[in-house]
Amino acid sequence: MVSNADFQIRKVDALEILDSRGNPTVRVLLELEGGRTAVASVPSGASTGRFEALELRDGSDASGDALPERPRYGGKGVRRAVANVRDIIAPALIGQDVRRQAALDRLMLDLDGTENKARLGANAILGVSMAIARGAAVAAGLPLYASLGGSGARRLPVPMMNVLNGGLHAANALDFQEFMIVPHGAPTFGEALRYGSETFHALRALLHARGYVTSVGDEGGFAPDLPDNETACSLIVDAIEKAGYRPGADIAIALDPAASSFGRDGSYRLQSHGTSVTRSAHEMNELYADWIARYPIISLEDGLAEDDWAGFAKQTSRLGDRLQIVGDDIFVTNPAFIKRGIREKTANAVLIKLNQIGTVTETVAAIEAARHAGWAYVISHRSGETEDSFLADFAVAMGGGQIKTGSLCRSERIAKYNRLLEIEHELGVEAEFVSPFAVPRV
Ligand SMILES: O=C(O)[C@@H](CO)OP(=O)(O)O
Ligand SMILES: [Mg+2]
């Protein structure tokens, strides 16, 4: 028998753990009166948007280290965030009911009292917020996706798999950060994962045969020194065919150039065959239009920089009926920015990252704003991840049918894919897998 006491928080604790890049991050441990426990770990980005909620790092003076000349983790530790969970957030949450997610998230916002969670740290607050969501599920005896999404939560997301890494996620010369395959023509999630994995391995063989390295970047995609960005698209098409699939119909391409990392003030600096070229937003949009005509691209994220609202709106009016235009750095999962984007027709989709905004409740509000406008939304990992698979359940709960969670050879990414397989298995014949995309005409 489940009783109200089972949902009451008895203890909140936190510790500093490492993420997939070997950088410190926050893990929160929650204990409920009934004795059940919940754990959540916070991811961390590299190509972060300027207006993201603040990820609290210790800095060299606040490290608390015995050897001040050698700060812990170069000042990147999260001991202060951990201490904020233990000393400030925990006392306010003891005795509270984990089913009241919105109220408890609000309580943390009030404790923090800043616009961007600068006092307690978005990493501290999000860790607790996720642990509360998981605690509510555990106490109710429900899987997280069902607890968060209700009985209608049975749509498995189409994965965007990042098979070639560049930009800030790799040490190669590619300016564009992510070249992803999207197996949207598969009949089920499990089959989509197989399509993706087979294509990933075909790509490895192709790279090897053409004399490129097959080492990987931060999200597990290969990171070869290709002569230019476009070569990545043609290689992916070759890999899809080599794996026995139809480019476009079975597996399409999604791009995240993460243009804030090579562009600002409407000017974009690209490398090609070792030389650098500067392009305007208009020229970037023409470049994408040209690629879309020649490659089966169905989604373009951050094709322009976070400060280029005008360029984004032009891109959306020029290309938005042919493909998904996703805003990441420009919206930073912030409902206010998304609403501006909807008014100004900046994009037609939004990338959703829990730690950009810092609570589960605000993330859901961001998704609701997108849904209300008929925009698509893609639930996304960060380039620094942990083995926590919260994201997989969250994507099924939110029902948008899209997840971006990296490549197919690093366990912090695979943890999400494997959890989605588990959910699909558990849902059985009730599981749905519906492509949100039309087949691209190339
Ligand atoms: O730009 C992105 O979409 C993300 C995730 O792929 O990268 P990061 O976490 O480094 O911001
Ligand atoms: Mg991005």
Side-chain angles (χ1 to χ4, degrees), residues 7-199:
F7 293 90
Q8 251 180 40
I9 298 174
R10 179 195 286 167
K11 190 176 170 196
V12 184
D13 197 1
L15 73 154
E16 186 180 61
I17 62 162
L18 292 183
D19 73 11
S20 56
R21 275 192 281 251
N23 294 325
T25 189
V26 178
R27 173 168 289 174
V28 172
L29 314 159
L30 191 90
E31 205 177 299
L32 301 172
E33 281 302 341
R36 293 197 172 82
T37 56
V39 182
S41 304
V42 179
S44 172
S47 62
T48 48
R50 183 146 45 110
F51 296 108
E52 290 191 19
L54 187 113
E55 179 182 76
L56 191 64
R57 298 270 166 200
D58 293 341
S60 42
D61 20 2
S63 68
D65 201 291
L67 295 166
E69 70 276 13
R70 281 177 52 218
R72 307 173 63 253
Y73 298 113
K76 296 265 165 54
V78 292
R79 275 192 184 173
R80 274 204 288 160
V82 163
N84 289 345
V85 173
R86 287 192 191 144
D87 303 341
I88 302 174
I89 298 175
L93 290 183
I94 307 299
Q96 298 279 358
D97 187 318
V98 280
R99 287 170 296 193
R100 300 179 67 234
Q101 179 88 45
L104 301 191
D105 284 345
R106 165 64 55 196
L107 198 154
M108 290 193 281
L109 297 190
D110 291 345
L111 277 177
D112 177 79
T114 69
E115 269 294 298
N116 63 344
K117 304 182 177 68
R119 179 170 169 245
L120 299 178
N123 39 357
I125 293 173
L126 180 64
V128 177
S129 183
M130 287 163 68
I132 287 169
R134 194 166 258 147
V138 170
L142 286 170
L144 180 59
Y145 66 88
S147 167
L148 275 173
S151 52
R154 47 199 187 87
R155 183 177 184 186
L156 273 294
V158 174
M160 291 182 169
M161 300 152 150
N162 183 7
V163 293
L164 282 169
N165 293 188
L168 296 177
H169 294 173
N172 57 10
L174 280 179
D175 321 274
F176 287 9
Q177 180 177 285
E178 301 173 29
F179 297 85
M180 297 171 277
I181 51 174
V182 188
H184 70 118
T188 63
F189 173 78
E191 284 295 274
L193 197 58
R194 182 173 68 82
Y195 286 21
S197 162
E198 289 174 1
T199 304

Side-chain angles (χ1 to χ4, degrees), residues 47 177-178 256 258 301-302 328-329 351 353 380 404:
S47 62
Q177 180 177 285
E178 301 173 29
D256 177 7
E301 173 188 334
D302 283 4
D328 170 11
D329 290 356
L351 202 78
K353 292 165 167 167
S380 173
K404 172 170 115 155

Side-chain angles (χ1 to χ4, degrees), residues 146-302:
S147 167
L148 275 173
S151 52
R154 47 199 187 87
R155 183 177 184 186
L156 273 294
V158 174
M160 291 182 169
M161 300 152 150
N162 183 7
V163 293
L164 282 169
N165 293 188
L168 296 177
H169 294 173
N172 57 10
L174 280 179
D175 321 274
F176 287 9
Q177 180 177 285
E178 301 173 29
F179 297 85
M180 297 171 277
I181 51 174
V182 188
H184 70 118
T188 63
F189 173 78
E191 284 295 274
L193 197 58
R194 182 173 68 82
Y195 286 21
S197 162
E198 289 174 1
T199 304
F200 180 70
H201 290 114
L203 179 61
R204 185 202 307 269
L206 268 182
L207 287 169
H208 187 71
R210 295 182 191 178
Y212 293 114
V213 298
T214 54
S215 51
V216 298
D218 287 357
E219 296 187 355
F222 299 114
D225 247 323
L226 302 178
D228 56 22
N229 296 301
E230 191 180 337
T231 307
C233 293
S234 62
L235 257 170
I236 288 178
V237 168
D238 290 352
I240 294 170
E241 282 172 344
K242 188 173 154 66
Y245 296 104
R246 294 167 301 167
D250 296 323
I251 305 179
I253 296 177
L255 302 174
D256 177 7
S260 309
S261 61
F262 56 83
R264 59 187 298 187
D265 300 330
S267 162
Y268 299 85
R269 184 171 272 263
L270 293 177
Q271 311 285 328
S272 177
H273 297 273
T275 59
S276 136
V277 203
T278 302
R279 289 175 182 261
S280 65
H282 175 71
E283 288 166 334
M284 289 300 291
N285 287 341
E286 291 308 310
L287 173 95
Y288 296 131
D290 173 48
W291 283 19
I292 289 155
R294 290 184 294 113
Y295 300 101
I297 298 170
I298 49 171
S299 180
L300 173 61
E301 173 188 334
D302 283 4

